[in-house]
Amino acid sequence: MTDLVEITQARADLGDLCRQVAASRERIAVTDNGAVVAILISPQELADLEDDLAIVRNRLNEAQGFPEPVVTREELLAELAARA
């Protein structure tokens, strides 16, 4: 379940929200006038998602006949940063 927190409240409670997310792996959606503008997730959950993405990308490459070496988390982060 994802909790919703308005951006003004998130600003005031950022430290507590970050500790809550890190301890519970709960996601918190930050909203601005009702629209979600950011999601807080724990660093471990992000790392797990990035690992899962790398695995899926490698399996897709293999299924398409383009086997490549396993993409490490560091390589994936570098690629994502280059796209931003």
Side-chain angles (χ1 to χ4, degrees):
M1 181 176 162
T2 302
D3 291 337
L4 299 175
V5 177
E6 182 63 27
I7 197 167
T8 53
Q9 187 65 41
R11 185 178 300 122
D13 297 334
L14 185 59
D16 290 337
L17 293 172
C18 289
R19 285 186 285 279
Q20 177 183 342
V21 166
S24 67
R25 293 180 59 109
E26 172 183 347
R27 296 177 185 182
I28 297 178
V30 179
T31 62
D32 188 12
N33 295 319
V36 175
V37 294
I39 304 287
L40 296 176
I41 65 170
S42 73
Q44 184 58 53
E45 184 175 359
L46 176 60
D48 291 346
L49 290 170
E50 290 169 340
D51 287 346
D52 290 346
L53 177 60
I55 291 167
V56 169
R57 286 180 61 201
N58 285 322
R59 288 184 181 161
L60 180 60
N61 283 341
E62 288 176 3
Q64 293 175 339
F66 302 108
E68 295 181 3
V70 173
V71 177
T72 67
R73 181 183 306 144
E74 291 78 19
E75 291 169 333
L76 180 60
L77 288 174
E79 183 177 328
L80 291 173
R83 293 181 185 184

